[in-house]
């Protein structure tokens, strides 16, 4: 379980909890294809309140991308 705090709408802080899966590079055996890293969101909290249901699918993917960028950089 990974916890990440991101900035949303340039002013609001969201606390996001989820499961991070590291990217898997191409292997020489070609049995295991490469995979992108992933962050599966479990909770999105705003000021301690669960708000995951308030976001559209597009927003959800933006939040997921922000979390991945923070984790990997």
């Amino acid at each position: 379980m990974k916890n990440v705090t991101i900035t949303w709408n340039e002013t609001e802080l969201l606390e996001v909890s989820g499961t991070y899966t590291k990217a898997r590079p191409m292997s020489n055996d070609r049995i295991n294809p490469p995979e992108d890293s992933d962050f599966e969101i479990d909770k999105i909290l705003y000021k301690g309140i669960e708000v995951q249901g308030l976001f559209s699918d597009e927003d959800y993917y933006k939040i997921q991308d922000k979390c991945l960028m923070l984790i990997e950089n």
Side-chain angles (χ1 to χ4, degrees):
M1 185 69 69
K2 204 83 148 138
N3 297 313
V4 183
T5 301
I6 64 167
T7 304
W8 186 253
N9 288 339
E10 299 178 20
T11 58
E12 306 303 327
L13 294 178
L14 297 178
E15 296 174 40
V16 185
S17 300
T19 305
Y20 171 68
T21 306
K22 192 173 182 176
R24 187 171 64 202
M26 179 62 122
S27 64
N28 290 334
D29 63 15
R30 296 183 185 248
I31 294 171
N32 298 314
E35 290 182 4
D36 293 334
S37 56
D38 186 43
F39 185 71
E40 186 177 324
I41 297 172
D42 292 327
K43 288 185 199 174
I44 302 173
L45 300 177
Y46 175 70
K47 296 184 179 181
I49 299 169
E50 172 63 57
V51 293
Q52 186 169 347
L54 300 177
F55 293 99
S56 68
D57 288 346
E58 184 178 334
D59 289 340
Y60 183 85
Y61 293 119
K62 286 179 186 176
I63 292 169
Q64 196 173 35
D65 286 343
K66 282 182 175 235
C67 290
L68 276 171
M69 285 178 44
L70 283 172
I71 292 168
E72 294 181 335
N73 292 324

